[in-house]
Amino acid sequence: MAYLTTFYWGWLLASVLLGFGMGWISVVQHGEGISRKWRWALSALVAALVAAALARVVPGRFGYWLDLGLIMFALYLCGCAVGSWLRDWVVSRSAPPA
Amino acid sequence: MRGLFKWSSKWWPGVIPLVVCWAIAAWTSTEPLEIDLAQRSAAALKGTILDKRRISVEGRDVTLAADAFSEDGRQSAVASVEAVPGVRLVNDETRLVPEAKPFVWSAERDVVRVTLSGSSPLPASKGRLMEAARASLGGVEVVDRTNLARGAPPRFDNAALLLLDQIGKLKDGKITLSDTTVSLSGMARELGGREAIAAALKNLPEGFSVAANEVKAPPYIFQAYKDPVAVTLTLTGNVPDNSVHAALVAAAGRKFFSEKVVDNLKTSIGAPAGFANAVVPALGALSRLSTGTLVVSDREVKLSGDALYEAAASQIRAGLGKDFPQGWQFKPEISVKPAAAPVDATVCQQLFTELLGKARIRFESGKADIVADSAGLLDRLIETALRCPAANIEIAGHTDTDGDEAANQALSERRAQAVADYLVEAGLPANRFSAVGYGSTQPIAANETDQGKAQNRRIDFVVK
């Protein structure tokens, strides 16, 4: 993992920034999010992919691509979480007290 | 936390550019990553001895195929690659090199090249043996057909290096090392090579032994060529030591009274037993030929050439083999020189005088026995006598003044008679010869010096 991080820090940084941006926007965005059912299905899919990556069952290049994808996705989620939380903090501070 | 959960439902649009990024990252990074991992894996295996090593990388999975020389080595190779940062999986396709039983290594030399075959224990020793072969054979092509195998005996390298040294001493042949036993066959390059190889094999490392040493020595050759045009006797080939060398050259000088002896002999060990005892009489036989070649090869004596007359040819054919030590063979190829044109008595006398001026018929000291060294001279005297069949010849014996006059007289008569008998035996009619002894009454030089005395002890041929 450390090796991949040093090898492709640019792509990983891009994932974090993308996530940060998405998280920043999502706090103030109006409209519907994905439904609860979809959320569970996607979580299960991601869990299955993580399990497959950890068990190293996907061989060769596909295995590498899976690892790469999951790492980028994990960093994207981290970026989203940080972005959303920061935006929320900024919004709540600037909003007039109720 | 609840907010985070709520917001996360709106994070999905960012996944689309993320997937695009991922696709680009995967597209651009896979090959450089594979190349980098292959290089790192190869570097990690640098200190591990493997044969036929092949590293292929797919994504982060390394496939390692190699032949290892021990189970430990095999496992440590796999572990080294697994420890390379970034490697996800190692597909282990390593195996142990096959074990050779018996462990056979051989070096074979033919006319143009040396071929190494069989098994070598490690790539390093394979290379070292190849290098040693090139160095010790200087310029000869070396072909390495050895395979790597386990099961070499301890100190294999030292034994093989010593054997490679020996292959340089062979003209052709094969040296085989089977486990710890050595067998050799072939022909030594030089005389003495067989002995040198046998001596070197005593230094084989502990535990190794010689099962069969069938290296043959090249034939021990001695040659003498009598050239009637250049009036030379050329000696070539080998003699066992300096004393035999000197004895042969001295014998040649005595037997070939008119030829210049050209000595091209060299001293070599490996002569067959009785060498000098066979070569000296063979040189005597050659001295009786007008032109001829003597070839002594090991224990075989081949004499070819032209005798001066028929009886001489028969004597040489029948007589020479008897003088040889046991085990020696004689192969005569003697023909007879065509008879020279007849001449008149005066010319005959001139020819006799000329011949006897170059050399004299020699006898045992104080006796009337003709020494064998004079056979060549006598043959020429007989040949001359045959050219003037009408002439009667007086064979005159002379002595020096040493000793009793009556005894000298008797000795000179007996010596003259011995020569006459020799001529008759050779087929000349007895009535043409009269043997006369003059004792010391007709000196041709002063009897005060040894040289003068030697000149006075003589047989003269006088045409009457």
Side-chain angles (χ1 to χ4, degrees):
Chain A
M1 202 67 73
Y3 168 77
L4 288 182
T5 316
T6 52
F7 205 77
Y8 295 119
W9 63 269
W11 291 109
L12 304 182
L13 183 65
S15 306
V16 173
L17 292 178
L18 188 65
F20 184 83
M22 200 59 233
W24 188 267
I25 295 164
S26 65
V27 173
V28 293
Q29 196 194 16
H30 296 285
E32 284 300 303
I34 53 168
S35 69
R36 182 174 287 265
K37 210 168 81 183
W38 267 102
R39 187 196 292 264
W40 278 114
L42 288 173
S43 301
L45 175 68
V46 170
L49 290 175
V50 169
L54 290 177
R56 298 173 179 180
V57 290
V58 185
R61 288 184 167 180
F62 296 103
Y64 163 58
W65 293 335
L66 175 65
D67 288 357
L68 183 64
L70 287 174
I71 292 165
M72 287 173 80
F73 186 65
L75 290 170
Y76 169 78
L77 290 182
C78 292
C80 284
V82 172
S84 297
W85 181 76
L86 263 183
R87 185 67 184 276
D88 181 55
W89 181 70
V90 170
V91 168
S92 61
R93 216 174 57 148
S94 61
Chain B
M1 201 63 199
R2 207 177 140 66
L4 203 63
F5 189 75
K6 193 179 81 187
W7 304 323
S8 67
S9 67
K10 294 175 186 167
W11 289 348
W12 64 267
V15 172
I16 296 162
L18 181 71
V19 167
V20 174
C21 278
W22 171 64
I24 297 170
W27 180 260
T28 56
S29 71
T30 306
E31 267 190 47
L33 175 89
E34 286 174 351
I35 291 167
D36 184 64
L37 286 179
Q39 283 171 350
R40 282 164 184 263
S41 303
L45 289 173
K46 214 170 186 181
T48 316
I49 301 167
L50 295 170
D51 184 40
K52 296 178 191 156
R53 193 187 71 184
R54 225 162 13 83
I55 295 171
S56 59
V57 184
E58 280 211 335
R60 289 164 59 208
D61 298 356
V62 178
T63 304
L64 173 65
D67 285 357
F69 295 90
S70 66
E71 184 55 32
D72 285 352
R74 196 185 70 78
Q75 285 174 359
S76 86
V78 174
S80 305
V81 177
E82 274 171 347
V84 171
V87 170
R88 191 181 73 140
L89 278 177
V90 176
N91 297 320
D92 180 7
E93 289 180 12
T94 57
R95 59 180 189 129
L96 289 174
V97 294
E99 187 168 359
K101 217 166 178 62
F103 193 91
V104 179
W105 173 90
S106 68
E108 185 166 12
R109 179 167 199 166
D110 57 25
V111 182
V112 290
R113 66 175 70 83
V114 170
T115 311
L116 308 180
S117 47
S119 307
S120 281
L122 288 173
S125 53
K126 192 172 151 90
R128 192 156 56 220
L129 292 177
M130 186 72 182
E131 225 168 77
R134 287 222 177 89
S136 74
L137 293 165
V140 179
E141 187 193 351
V142 182
V143 182
D144 188 1
R145 296 212 177 109
T146 54
N147 297 316
L148 293 166
R150 288 179 302 132
R155 294 178 289 277
F156 168 85
D157 278 19
N158 294 345
L161 284 171
L162 185 132
L163 295 177
L164 271 179
D165 252 358
Q166 309 318 308
I167 204 94
K169 295 174 190 156
L170 291 181
K171 184 166 161 251
D172 54 62
K174 189 172 184 181
I175 299 181
T176 307
L177 179 59
S178 178
D179 282 339
T180 56
T181 55
V182 180
S183 37
L184 306 94
S185 60
M187 174 71 77
R189 174 164 290 278
E190 285 170 5
L191 287 166
R194 184 174 53 170
E195 290 75 6
I197 290 172
L201 289 176
K202 295 201 174 88
N203 298 328
L204 273 171
E206 197 190 330
F208 288 85
S209 60
V210 179
N213 183 357
E214 283 158 13
V215 173
K216 294 187 183 74
Y220 199 89
I221 305 259
F222 169 91
Q223 283 179 307
Y225 172 58
K226 184 177 180 183
D227 184 346
V229 179
V231 202
T232 53
L233 173 76
T234 309
L235 304 176
T236 51
N238 308 296
V239 283
D241 53 47
N242 287 336
S243 66
V244 173
H245 188 173
L248 283 182
V249 172
R254 287 195 306 274
K255 291 173 196 295
F256 295 83
F257 58 91
S258 59
E259 284 83 5
K260 186 177 167 244
V261 177
V262 180
D263 177 10
N264 292 334
L265 294 169
K266 60 175 184 179
T267 308
S268 306
I269 58 167
F275 177 81
N277 292 340
V279 170
V280 171
L283 278 176
L286 179 66
S287 75
R288 298 183 66 179
L289 304 180
S290 79
T291 173
T293 308
L294 169 71
V295 179
V296 180
S297 175
D298 283 335
R299 284 190 168 83
E300 187 184 279
V301 177
K302 200 182 262 183
L303 181 66
S304 55
D306 297 338
L308 294 168
Y309 54 95
E310 187 55 51
S314 336
Q315 277 175 14
I316 293 167
R317 281 188 206 116
L320 183 57
K322 289 179 196 155
D323 296 336
F324 285 168
Q326 211 178 356
W328 285 72
Q329 282 184 326
F330 177 47
K331 291 196 173 166
E333 285 170 13
I334 311 288
S335 49
V336 181
K337 182 190 163 196
V343 291
D344 64 22
T346 327
V347 178
C348 239
Q349 178 64 68
Q350 274 175 8
L351 292 172
F352 284 135
T353 312
E354 207 176 294
L355 280 170
L356 291 166
K358 285 182 190 164
R360 28 195 93 252
I361 301 169
R362 289 151 54 93
F363 297 87
E364 301 284 349
S365 178
K367 293 181 189 166
D369 301 331
I370 302 169
V371 300
D373 289 347
S374 294
L377 172 61
L378 282 162
D379 276 3
R380 269 152 195 81
L381 291 168
I382 291 164
E383 186 204 17
T384 308
L386 286 166
R387 294 176 72 181
C388 47
N392 288 326
I393 298 158
E394 180 190 280
I395 297 167
H398 301 275
T399 66
D400 57 24
T401 51
D402 281 359
D404 181 39
E405 179 54 38
N408 282 342
Q409 175 64 33
L411 182 62
S412 67
E413 280 171 18
R414 281 194 288 125
R415 284 183 167 176
Q417 190 58 50
V419 172
D421 291 347
Y422 190 97
L423 302 187
V424 171
E425 216 174 290
L428 289 166
N431 59 10
R432 286 183 60 198
F433 302 103
S434 53
V436 182
Y438 291 98
S440 58
T441 57
Q442 294 183 4
I444 54 167
N447 273 305
E448 276 75 45
T449 61
D450 284 348
Q451 203 183 351
K453 284 178 191 171
Q455 280 183 318
N456 287 333
R457 292 192 297 270
R458 69 193 190 277
I459 298 288
D460 285 338
F461 277 45
V462 184
V463 178
K464 295 281 182 184

